[in-house]
Amino acid sequence: MGGLNIAVIIKLEPDFSEGNVSYNPDGTLNRAETKNTLGPHSAIAAHAAFFGRVMYDAEISIGTMGPPIADLALQQAQQISDAEELCLYSDRLFAGADTLGTAEVLRVGIEKMQEKMDIVFSGHRASDGETGQTGPQTAWKLGFTFLGNVISYSVDLETRMVRAKRLISLQGFPSVIEEVEAPLPVFISIDPTYKSNYNTVSQRLAFQKYQKEATQRAENYKDYFKIFNAKELGVDETLVGLPGSPTIVYKVERVPKSTATRSAEVIDGSDPEQIRKVVSKMKEALAAMVIK
């Protein structure tokens, strides 16, 4: 029975939380002044990898393509997943890449990791890109079976099979749960609703053990950190960056702000008269919804 090796591909993204976003005078995002952080979907993928660490004593590696400051995202992902290998793929040749060019860099990077991977996780999508294409394209380039929108998974290490539950749309009904089984290796895109469950005492003790280890590793993340340029990765320069990106941006237009159609009013909950007005308005709204 072999062990389990897991890779996670993540992304450093603008921190869109209040107070951290800076805009240029023309309304576009000022990336130089906007804080960055581990993407929220990448964080969920890191939690899914940590589930494999707790349940199957998996060895975890994390890879990302980006500028040197993307080491921040790797450190944050290590804090979540207890990874022992952090890989940053950074080179000016990679600039301007679309999802296909990015997938090529990630494919080569995953194949250069210290172990042959059994499962590769990615987030559902990036909050600053919203295409959801990088994961499936990386899976295609790796030749791995792709499982999308996964909400839970388990692995049989003896048969080398993974069983996963994922959300699909079926006959017009959204969020139907489909259970699938596939031989390793697989590429799993994690759904935003994913939650790790640790139900037994032994699982919770293992959770605490690896969580403590993750904190210690993240404090010394440079000990696990490697950075590769294009030459060190050995990528085909025609398949990365702008030459490897068939996407053509014809035109960029600003989306006009829509006119607000709703208003808000603060109600004093201790004032019976104001509460009566609220109840009255609610009755009017409910009455308007009744089909006569």
Side-chain angles (χ1 to χ4, degrees), residues 183-206:
L184 299 175
V186 296
F187 190 109
I188 294 178
S189 172
I190 289 294
D191 190 83
T193 61
Y194 171 88
K195 298 287 183 187
S196 299
N197 293 312
Y198 304 104
N199 298 319
T200 68
V201 172
S202 61
Q203 290 170 5
R204 291 172 185 172
L205 288 174

Side-chain angles (χ1 to χ4, degrees), residues 22 42 47 49-50 57 74 122 150 169 171 187 222 235 237 244 287:
S22 177
S42 295
H47 279 289
F50 185 64
D57 199 25
L74 288 169
S122 76
V150 168
S169 295
Q171 297 179 347
F187 190 109
K222 292 285 188 183
V235 296
E237 295 184 8

Side-chain angles (χ1 to χ4, degrees), residues 217-232:
R217 284 181 169 178
E219 288 173 354
N220 303 290
Y221 80 98
K222 292 285 188 183
D223 294 341
Y224 307 89
F225 177 68
K226 305 171 187 174
I227 184 166
F228 300 87
N229 60 28
K231 185 177 180 182
E232 290 164 333

Side-chain angles (χ1 to χ4, degrees), residues 1-72:
M1 183 173 69
L4 188 68
N5 296 309
I6 291 176
V8 190
I9 57 172
I10 63 164
K11 189 178 181 188
L12 181 76
E13 299 173 17
D15 183 353
F16 290 111
S17 58
E18 186 175 359
N20 289 325
V21 182
S22 177
Y23 293 97
N24 296 311
D26 63 358
T28 57
L29 182 68
N30 183 341
R31 288 185 178 271
E33 298 294 330
T34 297
K35 293 183 180 179
N36 295 291
T37 188
L38 174 67
H41 294 287
S42 295
I44 298 170
H47 279 289
F50 185 64
F51 179 77
R53 178 74 170 148
V54 172
M55 302 296 287
Y56 310 109
D57 199 25
E59 300 294 337
I60 298 172
S61 301
I62 303 175
T64 188
M65 188 188 89
I69 60 170
D71 66 343
L72 169 66

Side-chain angles (χ1 to χ4, degrees), residues 59-117:
E59 300 294 337
I60 298 172
S61 301
I62 303 175
T64 188
M65 188 188 89
I69 60 170
D71 66 343
L72 169 66
L74 288 169
Q75 183 187 23
Q76 292 173 329
Q78 186 182 41
Q79 171 76 62
I80 296 171
S81 65
D82 193 26
E84 65 172 359
E85 182 182 22
L86 308 176
C87 301
L88 172 60
Y89 316 121
S90 186
D91 196 298
R92 288 189 179 276
L93 284 175
F94 303 155
D98 65 6
T99 56
L100 194 63
T102 302
E104 176 63 15
V105 173
L106 294 173
R107 191 271 301 173
V108 176
I110 290 168
E111 291 180 341
K112 283 187 73 74
M113 286 176 170
Q114 58 190 11
E115 300 290 347
K116 188 176 181 181
M117 292 301 151

Side-chain angles (χ1 to χ4, degrees), residues 2 24 46 71 81 106 134 148 176 186 230 233 241-242 261-262 280 282:
N24 296 311
D71 66 343
S81 65
L106 294 173
T134 303
V176 174
V186 296
L233 273 181
L242 285 174
T261 57
R262 298 187 298 178
S280 176
M282 290 175 66

